[in-house]
Amino acid sequence: MGLFDLSGKTAVVTGAGRGLGEAIGLGLAQAGADIALVTNRTPADKAAEAIRALGRKAITIQVDVADRSKLPGIVERTVDELGRIDILVNNAGIIRRTPAADHSYADWQDVLDVNLNSVFALCQLAGNRMIEQGSGKIINIASMLSFQGGINVPGYTSSKHAVAGLTKALASEWAAKGLQVNAIAPGYMSTDNTEALREDPVRSAQILGRIPAGRWGTSEDLIGPAVFLASAASDYMNGHILAVDGGWLVR
Ligand code: NAP
């Protein structure tokens, strides 16, 4: 299916050393793309090796995306070493769980810096290159908490609502320039991000009981949607927030 072919494309994936980002990076490489893997604390060597084993190029960039001064280097290194940037996946994210009444400003600020401020900055940096070349795909990772309030995660919910809004704002401005900006809203996926929920027997049972598919999602469940939004198959999609949630939102 040529529509989904990413041969000759280059993608930047943040948070690509583990969890959802690792699977998305590998999935885009399976579809033919070369990948710049951005990680902070997790070494990306294993993920890069898996991509190279497919015959694709992979570079690793170690950056704390909360440090705004480091973000231009991500795009510059990708263009220098892989030639161009066609796809940006803003996946890096953190969550801090405390009731709103006790939620510290430090936690609020940390979450917004990683989940929102870095996303806007990277969209701008990569988006300007994409505007120059007249094409590009941006995929922001949203959440069920782009639609719902959640429990004990006010900063996270605010950041993910804002990611949905930012996705629409950029799509609205950049569609005419040949860019598609969309988001994936994962449901409840089995990664480090949701470990505390899965270890809480009450919350875990509540969550599972509401998922029509009857199981938590896996990182691999995001590969198809990510390849779709990165490829020509989604060229007339702009500002869509694609839920990949086993039916959570329809229940
Ligand atoms: P995870 O397993 O906790 O992984 C978080 C990822 O973000 C890691 O790759 C981490 O990289 C990266 N990251 C965190 N802080 C960073 C920073 N300052 N600079 C650079 N990278 C940073 O989470 P996940 O479940 O894969 O989540 C990935 C994305 O999906 C997040 O945006 C999350 O909010 C979203 N999401 C997840 C779920 C879910 O159920 N799991 C549901 C909805 C949305 P290092 O390891 O290198 O620090």
Side-chain angles (χ1 to χ4, degrees):
M1 274 292 277
L3 268 180
F4 296 92
D5 184 13
L6 300 180
S7 302
K9 305 288 186 190
T10 292
V12 172
V13 182
T14 67
R18 63 188 167 103
L20 305 182
E22 182 180 11
I24 291 170
L26 187 65
L28 297 181
Q30 283 165 341
D34 296 328
I35 315 287
L37 300 130
V38 180
T39 67
N40 184 25
R41 289 167 306 163
T42 305
D45 306 341
K46 187 172 71 72
E49 275 318 307
I51 289 167
R52 291 185 192 120
L54 296 168
R56 309 298 349 140
K57 289 183 195 150
I59 62 168
T60 62
I61 303 174
Q62 195 168 2
V63 164
D64 174 358
V65 297
D67 182 349
R68 191 180 169 78
S69 69
K70 298 286 194 323
L71 300 181
I74 295 175
V75 174
E76 282 158 20
R77 269 199 59 198
T78 302
V79 173
D80 285 351
E81 295 179 39
L82 296 176
R84 51 190 287 125
I85 172 166
D86 302 290
I87 301 156
L88 168 66
V89 182
N90 279 306
N91 164 78
I94 58 173
I95 192 161
R96 299 277 165 81
R97 299 180 195 278
T98 3
D102 305 321
H103 210 73
S104 72
Y105 187 72
D107 278 349
W108 170 270
Q109 191 68 58
D110 287 350
V111 169
L112 287 178
D113 280 344
V114 175
N115 293 12
L116 178 62
N117 297 337
S118 80
V119 173
F120 177 54
L122 280 171
C123 283
Q124 229 180 11
L125 289 159
N128 278 318
R129 300 265 180 180
M130 293 171 176
I131 288 167
E132 266 172 40
Q133 69 199 19
S135 66
K137 300 274 184 180
I138 295 178
I139 304 169
N140 295 324
I141 302 301
S143 168
M144 292 298 97
L145 301 189
S146 299
F147 309 103
Q148 302 174 320
I151 303 170
N152 296 337
V153 287
Y156 184 84
T157 297
S158 302
S159 73
K160 293 298 186 178
H161 270 67
V163 163
L166 176 62
T167 300
K168 293 174 192 176
L170 297 179
S172 166
E173 283 196 42
W174 291 349
K177 299 180 190 300
L179 279 63
Q180 287 81 49
V181 186
N182 291 291
I184 292 174
Y188 286 82
M189 319 299 279
S190 185
T191 68
D192 294 345
N193 174 292
T194 51
E195 192 179 0
L197 294 179
R198 280 176 291 112
E199 282 178 356
D200 176 337
V202 175
R203 285 288 287 133
S204 176
Q206 285 170 339
I207 289 167
L208 191 57
R210 194 198 143 151
I211 302 173
R215 65 170 177 86
W216 287 66
T218 66
S219 300
E220 289 67 32
D221 286 322
L222 290 193
I223 291 178
V227 169
F228 169 53
L229 290 181
S231 70
S234 58
D235 275 355
Y236 200 56
M237 286 183 66
N238 303 89
H240 188 67
I241 316 297
L242 182 62
V244 182
D245 63 351
W248 173 272
L249 285 178
V250 298
R251 179 151 282 178

